[in-house]
């Protein structure tokens, strides 16, 4: 019985690629140095899977930024502003598209489906001249083959690539991206032909958009694309891989009828209903790559249950045609549990990271083939039973409090307009008030202080003193820049979710459980294993300390319940909304303590609210109802004069704008500039927004420093669709990933732009 892995984490067990990328970007190392690190990681990944007994090992899933950008490079679809003149695309052009450079901004970045991974959105139009400009897929196949590993090269499928793209600036929004299919397929044919010539026997096309709500025209594009590729694919085994949700009956029918396709990879963890479609109709002689091992969470597989599912599928598709697989790429989980030295043995026994999931896949394949490892299965069953019965998982008081939430919608008593009036009397802010989103640059010295405190190398007194000094530096800088509503810069926090999880019950933490978010940015999601509560205040000391250093309003900075949920590895033994309500009650306690401590502006970030939106429209309403309700729970008890902010970033918010309004926050700051001001279109179309709003005026994920005039121009575009008295001026997101040399001039220009426009607005009244 064969086994398969959809994809594997790239960063390395200790983020080796992250550090190599950042060293290269900072011009401290060469392209050859970066390539050497990358080659070492690829070699190690392939060897690990081969040693574990995996038959179908992927290649070309490694990336220096993301797989969609790799496909853009392969197709030569470089926007003209990057000055690329043809030939093989090098690092300069590639990273300029991803990160921008001193003269031009980056391409838009957005979430990869409903994950916390991101991709660079292709910008396409009728005039794009596609050409085969990156041979990465073929080069990596040959590289693996030279190491003695015959891999399955993976390409982002042509239809998904186009459906994930957007019309370039200046191209009509109604332009049909799928009309470009005949222009990109010749390049796919070149790649396929080279892979065949290099000796590939299998090829995997990732077509994850098949799980979305697609119309007949979109489904027909898949049929047309693979019919066109059929003759080129002749002689290859072709796997179409889908993941993250069920297939609709229409999409399933389309997939199983595709020309020249040998195998279908289906997510049977998040797509359990797809099993019914398989039972009804599975094409004879085709392979099913059954994704029964969860690629998006860190819980050990229930091997007995998965084996039962596989045995039922085996009876349908045939013994020789069933391949055990992961539900999706393991990119979305941590790398290796072996590196976790501080997790206690009980919790550790409940977990499986990417390396362990590879072993689980192979163990299930061997069990199906009659070579069951009884000791491994027994150990797994013991761990499953331990997790179900452990007293540390359940807190009766928390469950009662969450159950008591039913029956109220937890809205503040006064409408937002009246609250804003009361807040303005207290805060006395100017027109176009300026603020930042929360974090300031995390310097090497600051990281050293936190690291040494965690390792007990410095005392708590020394740690507190160092953090206070950093806060004072950030406060003084903001006052010098004349920012209106200040932040303390979050020097005590490595991560906006991890910091809170460390102080909440029901959470566990890893040492090296890093997961790639985008580029070199990695996060270490907490593990929610049990009921959640707040034993004591989490941020009050630092916020009060910061407020004592200034007479200006100081924001209390919290992460919202939906974002904590969506950016954690969440327990899978109860509905997600129940866990979210528990977190909301814990944050509510913190909000009320901040208010008692004299903090008049409290930001509750919900950066990931849109990210958790189900992929199917039929499931949107239920998710948005409990997600928005969770946010309202956190602040329903504060006074009218306490201003509640929230922040959202790097998703398409236009389709949930009414739910955002229903959150009933006093002010929302929201990413806008990197997505080419897409957000503003919703207001041009007539949506009325009465609360305060700060669409970001510059992209913080690029080192580029925008001019005062550029920012003023952005603000004027906002004023064309938003009322003057509700508009705030702020960056797209937090500043922790930037350097002070970039932050100071950018914020200086931002404040200057607001000051430039204030007199004009006053005279226009």
């Amino acid at each position: 019985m064969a086994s398969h892995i959809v994809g594997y984490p790239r960063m390395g067990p200790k983020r080796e690629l992250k550090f190599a990328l950042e060293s290269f970007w900072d011009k401290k190392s060469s392209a050859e140095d970066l390539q050497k690190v990358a080659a070492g990681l690829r070699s190690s990944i392939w060897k690990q899977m081969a040693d574990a007994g995996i038959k179908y090992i992927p290649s070309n899933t490694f990336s220096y930024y993301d797989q969609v950008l790799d496909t853009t490079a392969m197709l030569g679809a470089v926007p003209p502003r990057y000055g690329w003149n043809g030939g093989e695309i090098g690092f300069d052009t590639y990273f300029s598209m991803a990160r921008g450079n001193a003269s031009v901004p980056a391409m838009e970045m957005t979430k990869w489906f409903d994950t916390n991974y991101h991709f660079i959105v292709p910008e396409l139009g009728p005039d794009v001249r596609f050409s085969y400009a990156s041979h990465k897929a073929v080069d990596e196949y040959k590289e693996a083959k030279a190491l003695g590993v015959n891999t399955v090269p993976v390409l982002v499928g042509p239809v998904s690539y186009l459906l994930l793209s957007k019309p370039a600036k200046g191209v009509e929004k109604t332009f049909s991206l799928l009309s470009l299919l005949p222009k990109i397929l010749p390049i796919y044919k070149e790649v396929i032909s080279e892979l065949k010539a290099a000796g590939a026997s299998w090829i995997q096309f990732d077509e994850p958009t098949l799980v979305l709500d697609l119309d007949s025209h979109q489904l027909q594009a898949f049929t047309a694309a693979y019919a066109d590729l059929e003759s080129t694919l002749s002689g290859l085994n072709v796997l179409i891989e889908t993941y993250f949700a069920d297939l609709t009956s229409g999409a399933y029918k389309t997939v199983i009828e595709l020309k020249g396709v040998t195998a279908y990879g289906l997510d049977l963890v998040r797509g359990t209903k797809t099993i019914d479609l398989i039972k009804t109709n599975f094409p004879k002689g085709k392979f099913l790559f059954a994704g029964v091992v969860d690629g998006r969470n860190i819980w050990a597989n229930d091997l007995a249950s998965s084996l039962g599912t596989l045995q039922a599928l085996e009876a349908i598709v045939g013994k020789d045609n069933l391949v055990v697989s992961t539900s999706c790429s393991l990119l979305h989980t941590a790398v290796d549990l072996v590196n976790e030295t501080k997790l206690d043995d009980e919790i550790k026994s409940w977990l499986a990271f990417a390396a362990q999931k590879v072993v689980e896949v192979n163990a299930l394949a061997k069990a199906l083939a009659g070579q069951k490892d009884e000791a491994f299965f027994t150990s797994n069953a013991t761990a499953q039973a331990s997790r179900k019965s452990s007293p540390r998982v359940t807190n009766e008081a928390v469950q009662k409090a969450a159950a008591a939430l039913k029956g109220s919608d937890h809205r503040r008593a006064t409408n937002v307009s009246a609250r804003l009036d009361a807040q303005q009397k207290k805060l006395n802010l100017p027109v176009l008030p300026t603020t930042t989103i929360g974090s300031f640059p995390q310097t090497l010295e600051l990281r050293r202080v936190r690291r040494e405190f965690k390792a007990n190398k410095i005392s708590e007194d020394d740690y507190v003193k160092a953090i206070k000094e950093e806060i004072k530096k950030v406060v003084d800088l903001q006052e010098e820049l004349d920012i209106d509503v200040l932040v303390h810069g979050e020097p005590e926090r490595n991560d906006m979710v991890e910091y809170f999880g460390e102080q909440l019950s029901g959470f566990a933490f890893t040492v090296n459980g890093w997961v790639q978010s985008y580029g070199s940015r990695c996060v270490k999601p907490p593990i929610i294993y049990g009921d959640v509560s707040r034993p004591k205040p989490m941020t009050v000391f630092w916020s009060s300390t910061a407020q004592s250093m200034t007479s200006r309003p100081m924001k209390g900075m919290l992460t919202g319940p939906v974002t904590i949920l969506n950016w954690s590895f969440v327990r899978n033994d109860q509905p997600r909304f129940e866990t979210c309500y528990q977190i909301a009650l814990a944050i509510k306690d913190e909000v009320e303590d901040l208010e008692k401590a004299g903090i008049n502006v409290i930001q509750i970030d919900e950066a990931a609210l849109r990210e958790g939106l189900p992929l199917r429209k039929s499931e949107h309403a239920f998710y948005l109802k409990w997600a928005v309700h969770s946010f309202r729970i956190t602040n329903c008890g504060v006074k009218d004069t306490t201003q509640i902010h929230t922040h959202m970033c790097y998703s398409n918010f236009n389709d949930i704008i009414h739910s955002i309004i229903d959150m009933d926050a006093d002010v929302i700051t929201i990413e806008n500039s990197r997505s080419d001001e897409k957000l503003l279109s919703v207001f041009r179309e007539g949506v009325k927004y009465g609360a305060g709003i700060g669409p970001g005026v510059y992209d913080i994920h690029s080192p580029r420093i925008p001019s005062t005039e550029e920012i003023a121009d952005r603000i004027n575009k906002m004023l064309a669709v938003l009322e003057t008295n509700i508009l705030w001026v702020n960056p797209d997101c937090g500043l922790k990933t930037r350097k002070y040399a970039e932050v100071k001039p950018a914020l200086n220009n931002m404040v200057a732009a607001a000051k430039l426009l204030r007199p004009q607005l006053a005279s226009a009244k």
Side-chain angles (χ1 to χ4, degrees):
M1 187 63 60
S3 51
H4 166 251
I5 304 296
V6 177
Y8 201 80
R10 311 151 178 157
M11 281 288 134
K14 296 191 176 175
R15 296 180 292 163
E16 291 88 343
L17 182 60
K18 168 191 171 66
F19 299 121
L21 282 166
E22 291 172 355
S23 177
F24 174 69
W25 293 336
D26 290 341
K27 297 183 167 51
K28 293 177 182 175
S29 61
S30 66
E32 291 74 21
D33 294 329
L34 175 57
Q35 289 164 333
K36 186 176 178 181
V37 171
L41 288 170
R42 288 193 296 268
S43 170
S44 153
I45 290 166
W46 292 326
K47 185 176 185 303
Q48 178 187 346
M49 285 194 251
D51 290 349
I54 301 298
K55 180 175 180 180
Y56 300 111
I57 297 171
S59 62
N60 198 40
T61 57
F62 184 91
S63 177
Y64 289 104
Y65 215 87
D66 81 75
Q67 68 272 28
V68 179
L69 183 61
D70 291 350
T71 309
T72 294
M74 181 184 86
L75 296 170
V78 181
R81 65 181 178 273
Y82 298 107
W84 176 66
N85 295 314
E88 189 80 3
I89 287 175
F91 281 155
D92 281 354
T93 301
Y94 181 86
F95 288 128
S96 290
M97 289 192 287
R99 307 177 71 239
N101 58 43
S103 57
V104 290
M107 295 166 70
E108 180 184 351
M109 180 169 71
T110 197
K111 302 282 185 174
W112 178 245
F113 294 82
D114 57 347
T115 74
N116 186 30
Y117 183 65
H118 300 69
F119 71 97
I120 301 297
V121 182
E123 302 172 11
L124 304 178
D127 299 329
V128 176
R129 294 184 178 179
F130 297 99
S131 63
Y132 186 12
S134 169
H135 292 67
K136 176 178 173 293
V138 178
D139 290 344
E140 287 189 16
Y141 173 78
K142 290 178 177 177
E143 183 184 327
K145 193 175 182 185
L147 295 169
V149 183
N150 193 20
T151 59
V152 179
V154 180
L155 300 176
V156 173
V159 183
S160 287
Y161 177 77
L162 293 176
L163 291 176
L164 292 168
S165 302
K166 70 173 187 178
K169 200 165 187 176
V171 175
E172 288 292 329
K173 299 301 179 192
T174 54
F175 173 70
S176 170
L177 293 160
L178 289 175
S179 69
L180 297 173
L181 204 50
K183 293 186 177 183
I184 68 170
L185 288 178
I187 293 148
Y188 273 89
K189 290 175 183 177
E190 285 188 71
V191 180
I192 293 162
S193 297
E194 286 194 9
L195 287 168
K196 282 168 69 173
S201 56
W202 278 82
I203 187 168
Q204 174 179 320
F205 291 99
D206 280 7
E207 294 280 15
T209 56
L210 278 161
V211 305
L212 303 177
D213 294 311
L214 301 178
D215 60 34
S216 57
H217 172 67
Q218 291 166 324
L219 289 174
Q220 175 58 32
F222 289 94
T223 304
Y226 288 93
D228 193 328
L229 292 173
E230 184 181 13
S231 59
T232 311
L233 289 167
S234 177
L236 280 173
N237 291 295
V238 179
L239 166 62
I240 300 293
E241 185 68 49
T242 72
Y243 35 78
F244 298 152
D246 290 295
L247 291 176
T248 63
S249 56
Y252 180 76
K253 183 174 186 294
T254 298
V255 170
I256 63 173
E257 292 177 356
L258 291 177
K259 299 287 187 184
V261 173
T262 317
Y264 317 104
L266 304 174
D267 183 340
L268 303 182
V269 176
R270 290 181 175 239
T272 51
K273 294 175 188 171
T274 303
I275 294 175
D276 294 332
L277 296 171
I278 296 168
K279 288 176 180 176
T280 304
N281 178 25
F282 190 82
K284 193 172 181 182
K286 302 290 187 180
F287 289 84
L288 171 62
F289 282 56
V292 293
V293 172
D294 192 350
R296 285 186 57 176
N297 217 327
I298 42 66
W299 303 108
N301 189 272
D302 184 338
L303 295 178
S305 174
S306 293
L307 185 58
T309 299
L310 290 165
Q311 287 167 337
L313 290 169
E314 186 181 58
I316 299 165
V317 307
K319 190 178 187 70
D320 296 332
N321 292 340
L322 184 63
V323 178
V324 182
S325 185
T326 53
S327 64
C328 62
S329 172
L330 297 175
L331 172 71
H332 308 288
T333 190
V335 179
D336 196 342
L337 200 53
V338 168
N339 297 315
E340 299 309 322
T341 53
K342 294 189 178 177
L343 280 173
D344 69 67
D345 288 343
E346 183 181 37
I347 289 180
K348 205 169 178 179
S349 75
W350 303 343
L351 307 178
F353 291 179
Q356 288 69 46
K357 290 176 185 291
V358 168
V359 174
E360 288 178 338
V361 166
N362 198 53
L364 286 165
K366 288 175 75 174
L368 265 181
Q371 301 164 36
K372 186 177 180 184
D373 184 335
E374 294 292 351
F376 188 69
F377 271 71
T378 299
S379 173
N380 175 266
T382 302
Q384 297 290 325
S386 156
R387 188 174 161 220
K388 286 175 183 172
S389 61
S390 175
R392 67 199 298 181
V393 170
T394 307
N395 182 325
E396 197 171 324
V398 171
Q399 294 197 348
K400 280 184 180 174
L405 293 170
K406 291 170 186 170
S408 170
D409 62 4
H410 297 91
R411 292 183 186 276
R412 292 170 77 178
T414 312
N415 69 43
V416 70
S417 177
R419 296 198 310 262
L420 288 173
D421 287 344
Q423 291 155 15
Q424 179 58 16
K425 284 173 186 169
K426 187 161 192 172
L427 299 173
N428 193 29
L429 298 172
V431 172
L432 302 181
T434 54
T435 190
T436 65
I437 304 306
S439 61
F440 265 64
Q442 300 261 319
T443 62
L444 290 173
E445 173 63 17
L446 182 56
R447 293 176 190 276
R448 181 192 64 77
V449 167
R450 282 202 308 262
R451 191 168 57 246
E452 290 188 355
F453 178 59
K454 278 198 168 185
N456 296 315
K457 290 181 179 177
I458 61 172
S459 69
E460 184 171 2
D461 286 347
D462 287 342
Y463 171 73
V464 169
K465 182 184 176 188
I467 296 299
K468 281 184 176 179
E469 287 172 357
E470 184 69 20
I471 292 173
K472 184 73 168 76
K473 183 174 84 173
V474 169
V475 171
D476 288 349
L477 173 61
Q478 291 172 93
E479 289 194 325
E480 177 191 325
L481 292 167
D482 206 16
I483 291 172
D484 300 304
V485 175
L486 310 191
V487 298
H488 76 289
E490 304 176 11
E492 78 283 15
R493 308 178 194 181
N494 178 59
D495 178 88
M496 62 187 285
V497 172
E498 183 181 5
Y499 176 79
F500 290 97
E502 284 177 336
Q503 300 181 77
L504 295 169
S505 63
F507 282 75
F509 289 87
T510 63
V511 175
N512 286 299
W514 298 99
V515 179
Q516 185 182 15
S517 178
Y518 61 86
S520 68
R521 169 85 170 132
C522 297
V523 293
K524 200 164 43 158
I527 297 165
I528 305 177
Y529 67 83
D531 291 334
V532 178
S533 62
R534 186 199 72 147
K536 61 182 182 180
M538 302 179 286
T539 66
V540 175
F541 173 76
W542 297 119
S543 292
S544 301
T545 298
Q547 184 64 81
S548 72
M549 296 174 180
T550 181
S551 59
R552 301 185 186 213
M554 174 64 62
K555 284 198 277 193
M557 299 300 305
L558 305 174
T559 302
V562 185
T563 296
I564 290 176
L565 183 88
N566 286 336
W567 286 357
S568 298
F569 290 125
V570 183
R571 58 191 293 192
N572 57 2
D573 59 345
Q574 71 177 15
R576 288 174 71 87
F577 71 84
E578 290 186 14
T579 303
C580 199
Y581 284 156
Q582 292 178 1
I583 302 168
L585 287 171
I587 300 300
K588 180 176 186 287
D589 290 343
E590 187 71 13
V591 168
E592 291 171 3
D593 280 349
L594 281 168
E595 185 183 58
K596 286 174 194 167
I599 304 300
N600 296 314
V601 182
I602 302 170
Q603 182 169 307
I604 307 163
D605 285 346
E606 284 296 13
L609 188 139
R610 173 63 174 78
E611 176 184 310
L613 193 69
L615 299 177
R616 287 289 162 64
K617 287 178 183 171
S618 61
E619 299 168 16
H620 285 190
F622 178 66
Y623 167 78
L624 288 168
K625 182 178 179 182
W626 63 254
V628 169
H629 187 193
S630 295
F631 177 82
R632 289 201 307 262
I633 288 167
T634 65
N635 61 88
C636 62
V638 300
K639 301 171 192 168
D640 287 355
T641 51
T642 298
Q643 190 167 82
I644 299 296
H645 289 223
T646 190
H647 171 67
M648 295 182 174
C649 55
Y650 298 105
S651 288
N652 180 10
F653 300 103
N654 293 22
D655 56 348
I656 64 162
I657 191 66
H658 293 290
S659 294
I660 291 172
I661 293 169
D662 199 37
M663 291 169 73
D664 200 27
D666 297 310
V667 178
I668 179 170
T669 53
I670 194 163
E671 182 272 326
N672 170 66
S673 61
R674 181 153 187 174
S675 58
D676 199 26
E677 299 162 347
K678 189 189 300 178
L679 171 73
L680 299 185
S681 65
V682 79
F683 301 113
R684 292 189 194 101
E685 290 159 9
V687 170
K688 297 298 179 189
Y689 195 78
I693 183 166
V697 296
Y698 79 91
D699 175 21
I700 64 87
H701 288 93
S702 170
R704 183 174 168 273
I705 297 163
S707 67
T708 298
E709 293 71 26
E710 181 183 333
I711 295 175
D713 182 56
R714 284 192 185 279
I715 296 170
N716 276 322
K717 287 180 181 176
M718 297 169 191
L719 288 167
V721 293
L722 293 165
E723 296 294 327
T724 304
N725 64 335
I726 66 170
L727 187 62
W728 285 64
V729 176
N730 47 263
D732 264 353
C733 204
L735 304 169
K736 69 185 293 182
T737 60
R738 300 266 55 90
K739 297 178 174 65
Y740 272 104
E742 300 157 351
V743 165
K744 288 179 184 178
L747 291 180
N748 184 68
N749 293 350
M750 182 187 85
V751 174
K755 288 181 175 180
L756 181 71
L757 295 175
R758 282 171 187 160
Q760 298 173 23
L761 295 172
S763 63
K765 280 188 177 180

